[in-house]
Amino acid sequence: MAAGALFSQAGETAMRVVEAPMNAFEHIFGRKRMPWMFLAPNLILFAIFTFLPIAIAVGYAFTGGTNLFVSERPFVGFDNFRTLLSCGNYLQPGTCQESLFWTAVWNTLWFVACNVVATLLVALITALILNRAIFARGFFRAMFFYPVLLSPVVIGLIWKWFLDRNGLLNAFFQMIGVPPEIFLLDVGWSRFFVVVVSVWFHMGFYTLILLAGLQAIPKELYEAASIDAASPRRTLFRITLPLLAPNLLVVFILLMIKSVQIFDEAWVLTNGGGPGTANSFIVQYIYQMAFGSDLRVFGLASAASVLMGLVLLVLTLIQLRLGKRMES
Amino acid sequence: MNPISFLSRTRRAGRIDITDMLSWVWLIGGTLAVLVPVVWAGLSSLKPAAEITRFPPSLLPRTAVEQTVPGFDKPLSIWQVTVDGQQREMAMVRRIGLKAQMVDPANPGPPVSVDVKGITPVQHLTVATENYTDPLTRFNFLTFLKNSVFVTVVATLLTLIVNAMAAFALSKYKFRGDTTVFVIIISTLMIPLAVVMVPAYLVIVGVGLADNLWGVILPTIASPTAVFLLRQYMLTIPDELIEAARVDAASEFCIFWRIILPLTAPALAVLAIFSVLWRWNDFLWPLIVLNSRENFTLQVGLNAFQGEFSVQWHYILAMTFLSLLPVTVVFLFLQKYITTGIAGTGMK
């Protein structure tokens, strides 16, 4: 109750601050111009913190040096892109001029491939099961969804403890007679668990989208199928999955875009990309080039951002195109 | 209906087929997979520092029983000992190789030498509340908490007002360029933070908000998701209400504040919940903007803390749990609205 009172009091104060200039503007410029006044705060914030940075990012990508301010930076043309993209053999990051970038690129691609497939499968199976008339459905839905709300830092720490040398998983390993492992210091295990944690964290969100799609499928179709004595398997592949295709596509594209941007939970879980560079991803590369230690190579970081932005743009355009084709 | 048949009812009454079994395995397995790491971390956060790294770990927080024995300065640990075929509790004086020197705590005589193989420590359940109270006093935990609360509350209030105003303009007015503005706002949905984080930091430095909580708050306020959600909701509010208010000579802002905003309350509530969750959980952007310890939010503070004190898991887990608690409570009470809100708008 106190919180509610506090909120409404804050609201009153806010109103008194905003009301006077808004009404003054209306008196001077008339009602016709009021929509722009309502849009102004939003658009100004967008301009300063989204559009201006995009413009600067592109500008940055063509400059060198370590100074933060654009005016103080030497123009270097396509040098940053050349540095990032020149490579003896793209499959072997060691032969590239910027080997860390290519390590990050390949790590990210691997992560995206594994994470998209695993999350999609787990979310689909869960959604199909939760769509059945099963006992305590609401409870299970809430249970699977709960991790989505947690902070990536908290998730990283909880799993780090779970996978610790003295952690619960090793205790279980010992119980069944398998020698204990230091999971997060082993390249293979740590990569595996970054995917596991990511699936654990996000699958509830995608399950929810798929569940919404499943519940929109008309019940009559299933009744007709059961009259025709169609096998459950046939029903799944001939009715459920085709009708779920639009939702599956949305989930697929969202998953791709989100997976490319992996950072927070992997950063905490692997102590910033370890062991070595086994879990260093593109966003991490950008962060480290720009803000990590004292590198401050903003040009290189921005060039990598621009490349990443282009990839995401292409992914989004594919999504829009496919979405349109499915509707027609 | 008896409980067994209630639990085992399926689509086809009276028969449990293999898919039902597999479903249950999947659901229960999944629930355990979600709960076990979280509950395990929670139980561990209650263990005393000496107990937390013991392997194999015990489930519940326990600690050795200690007792002051006359004639000894320090309290001695109590062990379960079998002497002459009799179970007894004795205090350990010292341990030499495979032999332990034990005395009877009630009437300490000369120490008895006992084989260490035959003794087990006496333990009792303890809750190490100091894991929770120490960070509050010794570390900056309270500062982190205060900063997080400030960022969350202020950013949420501003998010609601600023985006509701924009949504009002885009849903209730016809003006030149309205579609263009809407499309421009929505198109920013696909620009991830990672792409603009370097120049966005430059802007923050430029406007003098580096290492300042306002530098964390301001860039997050204008949200395309929020504009979209609120606009969709406001479109369902009949325009006649606005016409009637205009006839009564209400100012446009008064119409927005007194009529539209109260009617948008359900959508605002959903947005408020999400805004709180987003801001409370934010990590990468605060990590970039904030440099000095007294400005850290909880998430940045936790991350810094785990880097510096990686052996002090009892503190790390306790603080992790404190930061997870508000989210869990919000979820327990608003679970239904959160899940339907997400399903309805695809927000995250």
Side-chain angles (χ1 to χ4, degrees), chain A residues 7 10-12 14-15 18-19 22-23 26 31-32 34-39 41-43 45-46 48-54 56-57 60 68-70 121-122 125-126 129-130 132-136 138-154 157-162 164-168 170-171 174 180 200 202 205-206 208-209 212 254 258 261 263-264 267-268 271 283 286-287 290-291 296 298 301-302 305-306 308-309 312-313 316, chain B residues 6-7 9 11 17 19-20 22-24 26-28 30-31 33-38 40-41 44 52-57 157 160-163 165-166 168-170 173 175-177 181 184-185 188 190-206 218-219 221-224 227 246 250-254 256-258 277 281 283-284 287-288 299 302-303 306 313 316-317 320-321 323-324 327-328 331 335-336 338-340 342-343 346-348:
Chain A
F7 252 85
E12 279 303 312
M15 179 184 171
V18 189
E19 190 180 24
M22 292 294 281
N23 286 346
E26 193 181 341
R31 188 192 290 159
K32 280 266 178 291
M34 280 310 280
W36 290 105
M37 199 59 189
F38 278 109
L39 279 170
N42 194 283
L43 289 182
L45 286 171
F46 265 126
I48 297 178
F49 295 113
T50 306
F51 296 114
L52 183 63
I54 294 172
I56 300 175
Y60 256 146
L68 187 61
F69 293 94
V70 187
L121 264 181
V122 172
I125 295 174
T126 311
I129 291 175
L130 286 180
R132 297 159 60 112
I134 213 147
F135 174 71
F139 167 79
F140 286 117
R141 195 179 70 169
M143 224 49 255
F144 281 97
F145 185 76
Y146 174 60
V148 174
L149 301 176
L150 300 183
S151 104
V153 178
V154 161
L157 288 174
I158 285 179
W159 273 88
K160 214 171 167 179
W161 177 240
F162 184 72
D164 192 78
R165 201 208 329 213
N166 297 320
L168 199 60
N170 268 328
Q174 200 193 39
W200 187 88
H202 300 289
F205 173 67
Y206 300 104
L208 217 57
I209 297 181
L254 272 181
K258 296 267 176 202
Q261 300 173 35
F263 178 81
D264 297 0
W267 176 269
V268 176
N271 281 336
V283 179
I286 298 171
Y287 175 81
F291 307 107
R296 308 230 143 212
F298 298 115
S302 287
S305 304
V306 168
M308 183 176 166
L312 290 172
L313 185 70
T316 315
Chain B
F6 182 68
L7 275 169
R9 73 192 160 151
R11 273 185 305 177
D17 66 46
T19 56
D20 288 304
L22 288 176
S23 300
W24 278 102
W26 183 272
L27 290 178
I28 291 167
T31 308
V34 168
L35 282 181
V36 166
V38 178
W40 172 244
S44 300
I52 197 159
T53 49
R54 205 167 68 108
F55 189 84
L157 278 175
L160 292 179
I161 295 175
V162 166
N163 294 303
M165 279 167 70
F168 177 59
L170 291 170
Y173 291 97
F175 56 98
R176 237 176 54 185
V181 170
I184 288 177
I185 290 180
T188 60
M190 56 181 217
I191 297 156
L193 170 65
V195 174
V196 292
M197 67 186 183
V198 181
Y201 178 68
L202 165 74
V203 171
I204 287 293
V205 171
L218 288 179
I221 290 171
S223 150
V227 173
R246 280 192 187 135
S251 72
E252 297 298 298
F253 186 75
C254 187
F256 165 70
W257 197 269
R258 300 272 177 225
L277 289 172
N281 290 341
F283 175 58
L284 180 54
L287 179 70
I288 293 170
Q299 310 298 340
L302 267 178
N303 180 58
Q306 69 118 354
W313 267 107
I316 296 171
L317 288 172
T320 303
F321 242 72
S323 87
L324 168 149
V327 173
T328 309
F331 182 61
Q335 179 257 113
K336 219 171 132 188
I338 291 174
T339 45
T340 47
I342 287 219
M347 274 216 271
K348 193 186 168 193

Side-chain angles (χ1 to χ4, degrees), chain A residues 37-102:
Chain A
M37 199 59 189
F38 278 109
L39 279 170
N42 194 283
L43 289 182
I44 291 171
L45 286 171
F46 265 126
I48 297 178
F49 295 113
T50 306
F51 296 114
L52 183 63
I54 294 172
I56 300 175
V58 177
Y60 256 146
F62 296 97
T63 59
T66 55
N67 198 308
L68 187 61
F69 293 94
V70 187
S71 51
E72 313 279 314
R73 298 174 61 85
F75 180 78
V76 296
F78 281 94
D79 272 8
N80 287 323
F81 291 97
R82 224 167 281 143
T83 309
L84 286 180
L85 296 176
S86 70
C87 210
N89 176 358
Y90 287 100
L91 290 171
Q92 290 170 325
T95 64
C96 301
Q97 193 179 342
E98 193 60 24
S99 63
L100 216 56
F101 175 70
W102 283 97

Side-chain angles (χ1 to χ4, degrees), chain B residues 255-278:
Chain B
I255 294 173
F256 165 70
W257 197 269
R258 300 272 177 225
I259 298 174
I260 300 297
L261 221 47
L263 288 172
T264 320
L268 287 172
V270 171
L271 181 63
I273 296 171
F274 282 112
S275 176
V276 166
L277 289 172
W278 290 331

